[in-house]
Amino acid sequence: MRKIDLIVIHCSATREDSPLSPLELDRMHRQRGFNGCGYHYYVRRDGQICSMRPVERIGAHAKGFNEHSIGICYEGGLDRKGRPADTRTERQRYSLRALVKVLRKDYPEVKKVCGHRDLSPDLNGNGTIEPEEWLKQCPCFDVATRL
Ligand SMILES: [Zn+2]
């Protein structure tokens, strides 16, 4: 088993009023050349948690961090006009928290749970990844304070 010390949260970057099934997500990633869905878990708007890739397998979700992390994606991340927004439903928030809790128990070496954008390079070297340094908005909410 590989060492896991990081959990990374993503959004699917789809509109809150436009459903994306696990099958479609899988297909999108295959089209990008991945060997199946790059995330390990996918949390739908109704709170359903879908297992997309065995945790034993390295994911394809956060460049430079895949080897030792687990990737979780929630459905949404864009509002009805296509703007980045925290579109999580109550059920999604509940499921995300519950999933992270279980994973932290299963993988006690996990030291950090963060959003994809928090892994952007710290350009000014002050130890904090600030909004102007984000490579993208994903997952469109602050994991440190709002998970
Ligand atoms: Zn992401």
Side-chain angles (χ1 to χ4, degrees):
M1 182 60 194
R2 64 196 179 98
K3 179 190 164 91
I4 288 165
D5 61 10
L6 174 71
I7 295 174
V8 186
I9 312 287
H10 299 261
C11 65
S12 63
T14 49
R15 293 175 185 223
E16 59 183 331
D17 55 351
S18 163
L20 179 74
S21 73
L23 194 70
E24 287 166 324
L25 177 63
D26 185 83
R27 203 174 290 149
M28 274 169 55
H29 280 196
R30 283 180 196 279
Q31 279 164 1
R32 283 166 61 186
F34 300 163
N35 183 15
C37 178
Y39 309 116
H40 296 94
Y41 295 97
Y42 182 49
V43 179
R44 301 216 61 189
R45 281 182 61 81
D46 65 1
Q48 190 197 347
I49 298 170
C50 312
S51 187
M52 304 298 289
R53 172 186 289 244
V55 171
E56 296 77 49
R57 273 182 61 203
I58 294 176
H61 58 93
K63 207 174 171 214
F65 298 89
N66 288 315
E67 236 162 89
H68 55 100
S69 69
I70 293 174
I72 303 174
C73 175
Y74 74 91
E75 181 180 19
L78 301 179
D79 68 14
R80 279 152 208 270
K81 291 194 168 142
R83 296 171 301 208
D86 183 0
T87 63
R88 289 173 302 156
T89 63
E90 261 322 297
R91 287 177 177 206
Q92 266 178 318
R93 296 181 64 147
Y94 180 85
S95 293
L96 278 167
R97 277 197 299 266
L99 177 58
V100 166
K101 200 172 168 188
V102 168
L103 290 173
R104 292 198 85 139
K105 200 177 257 178
D106 288 351
Y107 303 95
E109 285 182 303
V110 168
K111 294 191 290 277
K112 188 174 161 185
V113 180
C114 71
H116 190 184
R117 67 189 185 190
D118 303 315
L119 298 174
S120 304
D122 181 15
L123 297 176
N124 63 10
N126 70 349
T128 307
I129 312 303
E130 286 135 339
E132 63 272 18
E133 294 172 332
W134 294 341
L135 293 176
K136 43 165 94 179
Q137 295 281 320
C138 176
C140 301
F141 74 93
D142 184 30
V143 171
T145 59
R146 308 257 313 147
L147 182 69

mmCIF file of all heavy atoms in Angstrom, residues 10-11 39 61 116 136 138, ligand 1:
data_model
loop_
_atom_site.group_PDB
_atom_site.id
_atom_site.type_symbol
_atom_site.label_atom_id
_atom_site.label_comp_id
_atom_site.label_asym_id
_atom_site.label_seq_id
_atom_site.Cartn_x
_atom_site.Cartn_y
_atom_site.Cartn_z
ATOM 1 N N HIS A 10 -11.728 18.612 -4.574
ATOM 2 C CA HIS A 10 -11.938 19.236 -5.889
ATOM 3 C C HIS A 10 -13.434 19.463 -6.125
ATOM 4 O O HIS A 10 -14.277 18.881 -5.449
ATOM 5 C CB HIS A 10 -11.474 18.296 -7.012
ATOM 6 C CG HIS A 10 -10.036 17.938 -6.967
ATOM 7 N ND1 HIS A 10 -9.091 18.566 -7.740
ATOM 8 C CD2 HIS A 10 -9.368 17.007 -6.260
ATOM 9 C CE1 HIS A 10 -7.901 18.025 -7.504
ATOM 10 N NE2 HIS A 10 -8.041 17.074 -6.608
ATOM 11 N N CYS A 11 -13.701 20.272 -7.165
ATOM 12 C CA CYS A 11 -15.064 20.345 -7.675
ATOM 13 C C CYS A 11 -15.027 19.850 -9.112
ATOM 14 O O CYS A 11 -13.970 19.829 -9.738
ATOM 15 C CB CYS A 11 -15.593 21.777 -7.620
ATOM 16 S SG CYS A 11 -14.709 22.926 -8.686
ATOM 17 N N TYR A 39 -10.153 10.902 -9.818
ATOM 18 C CA TYR A 39 -10.465 11.060 -8.389
ATOM 19 C C TYR A 39 -10.768 9.694 -7.772
ATOM 20 O O TYR A 39 -11.238 8.781 -8.451
ATOM 21 C CB TYR A 39 -11.704 11.947 -8.199
ATOM 22 C CG TYR A 39 -11.671 13.264 -8.923
ATOM 23 C CD1 TYR A 39 -12.593 13.532 -9.933
ATOM 24 C CD2 TYR A 39 -10.741 14.238 -8.594
ATOM 25 C CE1 TYR A 39 -12.580 14.753 -10.608
ATOM 26 C CE2 TYR A 39 -10.729 15.459 -9.255
ATOM 27 C CZ TYR A 39 -11.645 15.707 -10.257
ATOM 28 O OH TYR A 39 -11.644 16.900 -10.920
ATOM 29 N N HIS A 61 -5.230 13.817 -10.162
ATOM 30 C CA HIS A 61 -6.097 14.943 -9.800
ATOM 31 C C HIS A 61 -5.336 16.186 -9.345
ATOM 32 O O HIS A 61 -5.859 17.289 -9.432
ATOM 33 C CB HIS A 61 -7.086 14.518 -8.699
ATOM 34 C CG HIS A 61 -6.422 14.006 -7.458
ATOM 35 N ND1 HIS A 61 -6.127 14.825 -6.396
ATOM 36 C CD2 HIS A 61 -5.968 12.774 -7.128
ATOM 37 C CE1 HIS A 61 -5.530 14.100 -5.453
ATOM 38 N NE2 HIS A 61 -5.416 12.859 -5.873
ATOM 39 N N HIS A 116 -7.774 21.896 -3.927
ATOM 40 C CA HIS A 116 -6.844 21.846 -5.057
ATOM 41 C C HIS A 116 -6.066 23.163 -5.188
ATOM 42 O O HIS A 116 -4.856 23.173 -5.339
ATOM 43 C CB HIS A 116 -7.648 21.564 -6.328
ATOM 44 C CG HIS A 116 -6.810 21.251 -7.525
ATOM 45 N ND1 HIS A 116 -7.360 21.054 -8.760
ATOM 46 C CD2 HIS A 116 -5.468 21.110 -7.675
ATOM 47 C CE1 HIS A 116 -6.374 20.808 -9.625
ATOM 48 N NE2 HIS A 116 -5.232 20.829 -8.997
ATOM 49 N N LYS A 136 -6.150 27.853 -10.258
ATOM 50 C CA LYS A 136 -7.566 27.767 -10.615
ATOM 51 C C LYS A 136 -8.371 27.916 -9.346
ATOM 52 O O LYS A 136 -7.824 27.927 -8.256
ATOM 53 C CB LYS A 136 -7.889 26.473 -11.350
ATOM 54 C CG LYS A 136 -7.223 25.222 -10.762
ATOM 55 C CD LYS A 136 -7.848 23.976 -11.284
ATOM 56 C CE LYS A 136 -7.150 23.387 -12.484
ATOM 57 N NZ LYS A 136 -7.764 22.148 -12.954
ATOM 58 N N CYS A 138 -10.761 25.827 -8.194
ATOM 59 C CA CYS A 138 -11.126 24.534 -7.608
ATOM 60 C C CYS A 138 -10.605 24.399 -6.185
ATOM 61 O O CYS A 138 -9.421 24.605 -5.973
ATOM 62 C CB CYS A 138 -10.558 23.423 -8.493
ATOM 63 S SG CYS A 138 -10.804 21.769 -7.858
HETATM 64 ZN ZN ZN B 1 -9.298 20.308 -8.879
#
